[in-house]
């Protein structure tokens, strides 16, 4: 394996040690008399690549983002291959790069909510940092004036910054307002970035889909295509309160709002052993041909869904007038990348189409059907004119033949492509290359055969190109040299492919601060070549880049058996349960069997939970049912609980066999290190708005919000009421961010584990809910087009947090529930606090600003804020306990190299990584007065500062 430039382990060791010694000496007064664990020097976020590799217009240089290292890697392209030229510190988690011209490159920093503008003149370095919305993902240049287009979520602190108050599209993201588009594209004029804090966008465009990801440009440069990311597939949820009691699917009934339900639950009414199943909600899908919301039997549920889902996925934008010209629906469930055929102008969209409307994992023997091995189909959708045509890349797979069954073809996986990401098309438009992230291959397609659907995967797979290292995430086509440059994320490397021989000829490993356990365990999440029967399915089919897919799935297993719940359960006293079931209107046996400690295998629809932030969480799954499984029973051990997911490789992913104990432990070791991002709704100084503060105060009590409080009954039965914090404990020192290690009876048909609350802001987008007895809020009525089909709680039926707070367990009484007077305002306030809920890292982490010789007046206060937060105490278990909100790093060109400094709050100086003297704030800022000495300040996770400042 060929190395690329100097690695952090070998660079300037003496100077690095000198810097650490200086920091330790300066830190002594802060740490004296205290004992705490040091924060880790690296936090894993697992951000998904979008456009991680690009060539200069001249074809003489190659640019690659080094996501874990937070750097841009620059290579010279030579007849022999690639030669490392420079490494430029950018922001945290860079995921996309694009060359504006031969002298300037822009890098999208996913966690920093920023774009680094990098000059290639002289010593390559950042000359400007543009601040944008939350979690930016992609960038292109288009239009007659070559504007920059950047995708971001419709949220983030910069949207409401006063410096862009006059920009069209800026302002309040309206997180609680129905029918608001949730996808933003920030547009900048590179020739006129302005001197404001984070640059002055020309416009912030907004599109009616969920958080966007990919961009593409038409051959003439005048049209930009914008794609949503997890855009859904017109599936939604019917709450169990809208379904007739029992399992008679043909017997309608009258509901509480006097409307008619078409019948009972789908069933089967029991599992294979005869244990009665709980009566749960139901996933439905909109049938565009019939014009109705239908279940798997074709029953019409229109009167239980109060909105429409237009499912608009891709949008065309006039790059000059900055106006949307058209949109395209039904492109895919999760959209990854786009590319335009330069000859025909046809648009290709790599995506997967989820089958979440199909119920059950397992063999499907008792119920007669299963989703095993058929979670999501890998596709490239062709958009030509107004026509949208999906093409299944793995149409050779016979999903009816489960792994190990009679007639199953074990060779089918060798022809499959999993998780299609980046793409490239030859200049003549005849050949499409597709990076198959989960297959360690590059798919090669004749575009005519792809568009006409005449290709045969079992034949053309002979031309697929294997790539070492795993996880090909980005490709750059060099037709002049007949090469393909490939970014492989699993091993953080760049590979060179000879297209004449279709063989890998060079591998360049990038400096990687990730632990060996992260690198070794990552493939278990994505790799469909080993633990997938057909080569298409993996854990990441639903847990997209280790997160979720914003869908609900009914993954019960009627062929499995009831197990016992070892987790302590709030209000599990039989008398309390009896009273609670009566007061809250529970009409069917709890957990199906009537036994509070049963885990029934037919659990019903559950929204996909994120795999980020699992450490310190205890039992996993919505019910905590992984606390009892393959490797044993323990209600509080997240290591055991995650290991117990081993059975899903066969029952759900569809593998012939399951991982070894060592392989599963490697998966666990990796996943438990992945952290969630900072909250983008919370103010950067970690303060709360007036509404959020009122919500915070109610959350912590003393007035109970949940349960029932009959005078004197607590003396007999024990605790029957809880404050919000009494269940959803917020204790960062113990790694608790709303999650409890207890389960709770909450007046519904099953007992659930108390979940964390860190990512509620990501679930916004469904507004509208039909009346059900469990929620005391009125029927919303028809709310029109919405972004999402799933909302909050385990199944996703409550459309908003406010609706959830109107459930009967929060009923306003004198002694419990939300206040009798001003209750709805308090609900709104607590909702605002929920959207800004605390997380493992402070909001300032990732934030950046670049000081130039022109913007000192605009950025001075932001630099002061970064310095202040770097000295502000912050508690988080993943940081070892008490740390500060961030480490502050500064970088500037001095003596022909980019030099790093680490800020020491106690002494208010910036410590360099060599033997030179520390600089005061004013001395460091003064350097920026000289063009070419722009200073970039970055708040990074506590503990990471020395590594980022001093490693090159």
């Amino acid at each position: 394996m060929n190395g690329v430039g100097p690695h952090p382990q070998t660079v300037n060791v003496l100077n690095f040690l000198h810097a650490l010694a200086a920091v330790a000496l300066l830190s002594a007064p802060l740490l004296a008399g205290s004992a705490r664990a040091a924060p880790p020097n690296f936090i894993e976020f697992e951000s998904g690549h979008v456009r991680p590799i690009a060539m200069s217009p001249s074809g003489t240089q190659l640019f690659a983002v080094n996501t874990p290292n937070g750097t841009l890697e620059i290579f010279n392209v030579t007849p022999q291959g690639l030669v490392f030229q420079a490494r430029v510190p950018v922001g945290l988690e860079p995921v996309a790069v694009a060359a504006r011209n031969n002298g300037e490159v822009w890098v999208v920093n996913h966690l920093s909510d920023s774009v680094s503008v990098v000059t290639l003149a002289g010593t390559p370095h950042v000359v400007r940092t543009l601040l944008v919305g939350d979690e930016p993902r992609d960038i292109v240049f288009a239009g007659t004036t070559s504007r920059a287009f950047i995708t971001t979520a419709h949220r983030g602190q910069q949207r409401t910054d006063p410096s862009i108050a006059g920009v069209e599209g800026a302002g309040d993201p309206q997180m609680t307002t129905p029918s608001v588009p949730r996808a933003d594209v920030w547009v900048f004029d590179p020739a006129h970035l302005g001197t404001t804090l984070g640059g002055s966008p020309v416009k912030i465009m907004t599109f009616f889909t969920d958080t966007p990801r990919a961009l593409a440009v038409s051959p003439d440069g005048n049209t930009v295509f914008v794609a949503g990311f997890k855009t859904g597939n017109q599936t939604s949820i019917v709450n169990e309160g809208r379904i007739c009691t029992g399992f008679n699917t043909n017997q309608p009934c009258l509901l509480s709002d006097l409307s008619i339900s078409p019948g009972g639950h789908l069933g089967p009414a029991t599992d294979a052993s005869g244990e009665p199943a709980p009566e749960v909600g139901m996933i439905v899908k909109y049938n565009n041909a019939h014009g109705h919301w239908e279940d798997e039997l074709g029953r019409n549920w229109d009167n239980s869904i109060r909105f429409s889902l237009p499912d608009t996925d891709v949008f065309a934008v006039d790059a000059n007038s900055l106006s949307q010209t058209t949109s395209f629906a039904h492109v895919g469930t999760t959209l990854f990348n786009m590319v335009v055929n330069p000859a025909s102008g046809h648009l290709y969209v790599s995506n997967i189409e989820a089958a979440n409307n199909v119920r059950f994992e397992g063999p499907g023997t008792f119920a007669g059907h299963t989703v095993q091995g058929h979670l999501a189909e890998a596709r490239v959708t062709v958009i030509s004119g107004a026509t949208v045509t999906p093409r299944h890349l793995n149409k050779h797979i016979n999903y009816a033949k489960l792994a190990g069954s009679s007639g199953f073809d074990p060779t089918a996986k060798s022809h499959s492509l999993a998780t299609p990401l980046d793409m490239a098309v030859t200049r003549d438009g005849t050949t499409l290359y597709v990076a198959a992230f989960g297959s360690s291959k590059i798919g090669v397609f004749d575009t005519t055969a792809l568009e006409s659907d005449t290709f045969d995967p079992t034949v053309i797979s002979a031309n697929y190109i294997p790539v070492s290292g795993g996880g090909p995430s980005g490709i750059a086509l060099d037709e002049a040299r007949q090469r393909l440059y490939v970014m492989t994320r699993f091993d953080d490397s760049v590979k060179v492919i000879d297209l004449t021989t279709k063989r890998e000829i060079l591998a360049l490993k990038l400096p990687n601060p990730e632990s060996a356990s992260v690198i070794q365990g990552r493939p278990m999440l994505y790799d469909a070549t080993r633990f997938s029967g057909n080569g298409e399915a993996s854990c990441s089919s639903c847990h997209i880049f280790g997160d979720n897919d914003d869908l609900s799935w009914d993954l019960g297993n009627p062929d499995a058996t009831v197990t016992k719940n070892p987790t302590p359960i709030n209000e599990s006293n039989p008398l309390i349960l009896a009273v609670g079931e009566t007061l809250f209107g529970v009409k069917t046996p709890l957990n199906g069997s009537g036994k509070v400690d049963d885990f029934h295998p037919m659990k019903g629809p559950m929204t996909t939970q994120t795999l980020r932030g699992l450490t310190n969480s205890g039992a996993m799954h919505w019910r905590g049912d992984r606390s009892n499984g393959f490797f044993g029973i323990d209600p509080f051990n997240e290591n055991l609980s995650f290991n117990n997911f081993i059975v899903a490789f066969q029952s759900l992913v569809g593998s012939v066999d399951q991982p070894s104990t060592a392989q599963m432990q490697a998966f666990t070791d990796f996943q438990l290190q992945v952290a969630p991002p900072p909250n983008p709704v919370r103010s950067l100084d970690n303060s709360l708005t007036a509404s959020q503060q009122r919500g915070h105060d109610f959350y912590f009590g003393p007035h109970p919000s949940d349960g029932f409080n009959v005078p004197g009954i607590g003396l007999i039965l024990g605790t029957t009421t809880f404050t919000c914090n009494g269940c959803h404990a917020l204790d960062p020192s113990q790694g608790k961010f709303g999650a409890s290690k207890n389960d709770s009876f909450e007046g519904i048909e099953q007992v659930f584990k108390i979940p964390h609350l860190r990512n509620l802001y990501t679930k916004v987008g469904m507004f509208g809910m039909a009346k059900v007895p469990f929620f005391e809020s009125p029927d919303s009525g028809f709310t029109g087009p919405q972004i999402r089909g799933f909302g909050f709680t385990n199944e996703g039926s409550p459309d908003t947090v406010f609706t959830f707070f109107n459930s009967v367990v929060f009923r306003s009484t004198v002694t419990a529930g939300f206040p009798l007077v001003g209750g709805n305002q308090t609900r709104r306030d607590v909702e605002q606090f929920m959207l800004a809920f605390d997380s493992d890292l402070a909001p300032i982490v990732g934030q950046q600003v670049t000081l130039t010789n022109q913007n000192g007046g605009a950025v001075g206060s932001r630099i002061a804020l970064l310095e202040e937060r770097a000295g502000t105490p912050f508690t988080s278990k993943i940081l070892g306990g008490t740390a500060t909100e961030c480490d502050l790093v500064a970088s500037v060109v001095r003596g022909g190299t980019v030099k790093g400094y680490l800020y020491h709050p106690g002494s208010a100086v910036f410590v360099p990584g060599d033997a030179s003297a520390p600089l005061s704030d004013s001395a460091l800022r003064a350097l920026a007065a000289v063009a070419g000495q722009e200073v970039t300040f970055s708040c990074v996770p506590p503990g990471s500062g020395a590594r980022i400042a001093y490693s090159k």
Side-chain angles (χ1 to χ4, degrees):
M1 181 71 72
N2 293 296
V4 181
H7 284 240
Q9 299 93 327
T10 59
V11 64
N12 208 355
V13 175
L14 292 177
N15 287 340
F16 182 74
L17 293 176
H18 169 87
L20 290 181
V23 170
L25 182 62
L26 290 169
S27 300
L30 271 181
L31 303 180
S34 65
R36 64 181 178 89
N41 69 0
F42 179 77
I43 300 290
E44 179 67 37
F45 295 104
E46 201 61 14
S47 304
H49 278 171
V50 183
R51 189 187 302 268
I53 194 167
M55 293 189 72
S56 63
S58 65
T60 59
Q61 289 187 305
L62 182 76
F63 311 103
V65 298
N66 188 342
T67 301
N69 204 45
T71 53
L72 173 68
E73 312 290 327
I74 303 174
F75 302 89
N76 290 327
V77 180
T78 71
Q80 292 73 36
L82 300 175
V83 176
F84 174 78
Q85 184 207 357
R87 178 168 299 122
V88 181
V90 286
L92 294 183
E93 300 288 295
V95 295
V97 58
R100 178 189 170 207
N101 51 45
N102 289 319
E104 188 174 282
V105 179
W106 290 34
V107 179
V108 175
N109 305 305
H110 186 64
L111 197 89
S112 287
D113 299 348
S114 68
V115 176
S116 299
V117 180
V118 177
T119 181
L120 303 178
T123 301
H125 67 285
V126 174
V127 294
R128 191 69 189 273
T129 298
L130 306 178
L131 304 182
V132 294
D134 186 40
E135 297 187 337
R137 285 185 165 90
D138 201 6
I139 180 171
V140 295
F141 296 96
T144 55
T145 58
S146 190
R147 289 167 167 155
F149 296 77
I150 300 141
T151 54
T152 84
H154 186 73
R155 56 178 183 256
Q157 294 92 346
Q158 186 62 14
R159 282 195 112 266
T160 56
D161 192 88
S163 66
I164 61 168
V167 173
E168 182 181 351
D172 182 4
Q174 299 176 289
M175 302 281 283
T176 58
T177 303
S179 303
V180 171
R182 296 289 160 194
D184 286 354
V185 172
W186 291 53
V187 184
F188 288 89
D189 180 351
H192 302 92
L193 294 177
T195 58
T196 55
L197 169 65
S200 301
V202 176
K203 184 178 182 180
I204 301 174
M205 303 187 69
T206 305
F207 302 90
F208 201 81
T209 188
D210 213 338
T211 300
R213 178 176 155 94
L215 296 165
V217 181
S218 63
D220 65 5
N222 291 321
T223 300
V224 172
F225 297 99
V226 181
F229 181 19
K230 295 179 283 188
T231 59
N233 56 1
Q234 291 187 298
T235 55
S236 190
I237 187 79
V238 174
N239 183 276
E240 57 267 27
R242 303 287 301 178
I243 305 171
C244 301
T245 301
F247 294 88
N248 187 338
T249 57
N250 297 315
Q251 182 62 56
C253 66
L254 187 68
L255 298 175
S256 61
D257 64 351
L258 303 182
S259 63
I260 302 295
S261 172
H265 296 264
L266 291 171
T270 71
D271 62 20
S273 66
E275 289 284 351
E279 298 188 22
V280 297
M282 179 177 59
I283 295 172
V284 293
K285 186 176 177 70
Y286 190 76
N287 187 321
N288 286 284
H290 298 168
H292 297 297
W293 290 97
E294 297 177 354
D295 64 19
E296 65 186 48
L297 300 179
R299 295 183 297 176
N300 182 339
W301 293 90
D302 288 353
N303 68 356
S304 289
I305 304 295
R306 292 290 187 261
F307 50 82
S308 62
L309 290 177
D311 195 29
T312 46
D313 296 341
V314 175
F315 306 82
V317 173
D318 186 312
N320 298 305
S321 66
L322 300 184
S323 59
Q324 178 182 319
T325 57
T326 190
S327 63
F328 306 93
H330 318 314
V331 176
T333 305
T334 303
L335 280 53
F336 292 114
N337 286 67
M338 297 191 294
V339 70
V340 174
N341 187 313
S344 66
H346 296 173
L347 180 67
Y348 304 135
V349 186
S350 60
N351 66 91
I352 57 176
E353 180 73 356
N356 64 309
N357 58 312
V358 179
R359 294 184 301 145
F360 302 141
E361 64 175 310
T365 304
F366 187 65
H369 54 83
T370 178
V371 77
Q372 183 186 124
H374 194 184
L375 299 171
E377 295 183 358
R379 314 191 310 183
V380 168
T381 297
V382 182
I383 299 178
S384 173
T387 303
V388 176
T389 311
R391 294 303 183 213
H392 184 198
L393 302 182
N394 303 317
K395 58 183 179 178
H396 63 287
I397 296 175
N398 183 352
Y399 296 106
K401 301 297 183 180
L402 302 184
S405 67
S406 175
F408 170 71
D409 180 9
T411 68
K413 66 177 359 179
S414 65
H415 310 298
S416 298
L417 299 175
T419 316
L421 297 186
D422 203 9
M423 297 172 289
V425 186
T426 53
R427 283 191 298 268
D428 62 8
T430 61
T431 304
L432 172 70
Y433 297 95
V434 181
F437 190 67
S439 303
S440 296
K441 299 174 187 174
I442 305 299
V444 184
F445 293 86
D446 177 280
T447 54
T448 300
L450 176 74
E451 295 189 21
S452 62
D453 203 24
T454 57
F455 68 96
D456 181 349
T458 65
V459 175
I460 68 170
S461 60
N463 290 321
Y464 294 171
I465 304 170
V467 184
S468 70
S473 58
I475 54 180
L477 181 59
D478 183 356
E479 289 191 80
R481 300 171 182 84
Q482 278 297 288
R483 293 181 192 156
L484 193 68
Y485 306 111
V486 182
M487 169 69 77
T488 50
R489 180 64 185 94
F490 291 1
D491 63 348
D492 197 31
S493 299
V494 174
K495 310 295 167 58
V496 182
I497 307 295
D498 183 329
L499 290 177
T500 302
T501 61
K502 291 186 170 60
R503 296 187 63 181
E504 184 177 309
I505 58 173
L506 185 63
L508 302 172
K509 188 173 179 58
L510 307 180
N512 188 352
E514 294 176 322
S515 67
S517 58
V518 165
I519 297 169
Q520 292 163 5
R522 176 179 285 119
M524 296 296 294
L525 173 63
Y526 303 104
D527 188 5
T529 65
R530 174 62 183 89
F531 294 111
S532 169
N534 55 37
E536 185 175 57
S538 71
C539 297
S540 68
S541 297
C542 302
H543 295 284
I544 312 296
F545 297 116
D547 195 13
N548 58 34
D549 56 7
D550 294 332
L551 301 174
S552 188
W553 297 74
D554 189 340
L555 299 179
N557 183 355
D559 294 291
T561 58
V562 172
T563 59
K564 287 298 180 182
N565 182 356
T567 308
I569 302 170
N570 293 348
E571 300 182 338
S572 60
N573 180 297
L575 290 177
I576 295 178
L577 283 174
V579 173
E581 287 177 308
T582 300
L583 290 177
F584 300 146
V586 179
K587 297 180 180 179
T588 60
L590 186 64
N591 297 327
S593 64
K595 299 173 183 176
V596 69
D597 60 346
D598 272 0
F599 284 141
H600 197 285
M602 296 168 62
K603 57 189 176 183
M606 305 280 176
T607 54
T608 306
Q609 291 181 295
T610 182
L611 298 184
R612 299 172 178 176
L614 293 181
T615 188
N616 307 311
S617 66
M620 296 179 190
H621 262 178
W622 276 104
R623 301 183 302 174
D625 45 354
R626 288 304 185 197
S627 59
N628 184 340
F630 184 85
F631 287 105
I633 302 173
D634 191 325
F636 308 123
N637 186 336
E638 58 269 9
N639 181 79
L640 173 72
S641 198
F642 195 88
N643 269 292
N644 280 340
F645 279 99
I646 191 171
V647 296
F649 279 92
Q650 289 183 298
S651 66
L652 185 57
V653 176
S655 175
V656 173
D657 54 4
Q658 64 184 21
S660 68
T661 299
Q663 289 170 323
M664 194 63 204
Q665 187 61 58
F667 188 9
T668 301
D669 291 342
F670 155 66
Q671 199 60 64
L672 292 186
Q673 294 180 67
V674 180
N679 188 300
V681 179
R682 192 80 163 249
S683 296
L684 291 179
D685 64 1
N686 211 16
S687 64
L688 299 173
T689 65
S691 177
Q692 292 164 0
Q693 186 64 53
R694 292 192 300 269
H696 167 279
D697 295 344
F698 181 82
Y699 184 92
F700 283 94
H703 186 77
S705 60
D706 183 339
F708 56 91
N709 192 352
V710 179
I713 198 171
L715 299 176
I716 303 171
L717 301 181
T719 302
T720 59
T721 61
F722 300 86
T723 64
C724 298
N725 191 65
C727 284
H728 293 276
L730 176 55
D731 184 356
S733 69
Q734 298 302 310
K736 294 182 179 180
F737 295 93
S740 167
K741 294 192 175 181
N742 284 14
D743 284 8
S744 184
F745 165 67
E746 290 297 322
I748 53 180
E749 285 70 19
Q750 295 185 84
V751 168
F752 285 90
K753 185 174 183 290
I754 300 167
H756 79 99
L757 303 172
R758 286 169 292 192
N759 66 344
L760 295 188
Y761 66 88
T762 69
K763 297 176 179 291
V764 170
M766 183 179 95
F767 294 84
M769 184 177 181
K771 177 64 180 175
V772 295
F774 184 72
F775 295 101
E776 297 185 322
S777 51
D779 192 305
S780 68
F782 185 71
T783 59
Q786 299 300 321
I787 301 295
R788 293 178 178 229
F790 301 96
F792 296 85
T793 74
N794 62 291
E795 65 181 11
S797 64
D799 57 341
T800 66
V801 176
F802 178 79
T803 296
F804 173 69
F805 286 153
N806 274 280
S807 67
V808 294
V809 295
F810 300 121
R811 179 180 291 149
S812 298
T813 68
V814 173
T815 55
F818 280 83
L820 285 169
V821 178
N824 278 345
Q825 181 57 56
T826 301
R827 289 180 174 91
R828 291 293 185 194
D829 291 339
V830 180
E831 178 180 45
Q832 290 301 310
F833 177 54
M834 294 294 95
L835 297 176
F837 204 74
D838 299 62
S839 193
D840 302 78
L841 298 169
I844 201 69
V845 169
Q847 294 297 310
Q848 300 183 285
V849 70
T850 296
L851 176 65
T852 73
N853 59 5
Q854 297 181 345
N855 67 356
V859 307
S861 60
R862 178 56 58 88
I863 296 171
L865 175 66
L866 300 182
E867 293 174 343
E868 172 192 292
R869 306 324 293 177
T872 301
F874 183 79
T875 300
S876 175
K877 191 170 183 180
I878 69 168
L879 299 176
T882 300
T884 57
E885 289 194 6
C886 71
D887 284 351
L888 179 57
V889 171
S891 61
V892 59
V893 174
R894 302 198 73 184
T897 63
V898 178
K899 187 171 181 176
Y901 293 82
L902 178 61
Y903 181 65
H904 178 256
S907 303
V909 295
F910 287 84
V911 181
D914 56 22
S916 60
L919 295 180
S920 66
D921 170 85
S922 58
L924 183 62
R925 295 195 197 200
L927 297 177
V930 178
Q933 290 188 170
E934 296 82 5
V935 184
T936 297
F937 298 82
S938 304
C939 260
V940 303
S944 298
R947 174 183 58 79
I948 292 174
Y950 305 142
S951 298
K952 299 300 180 186

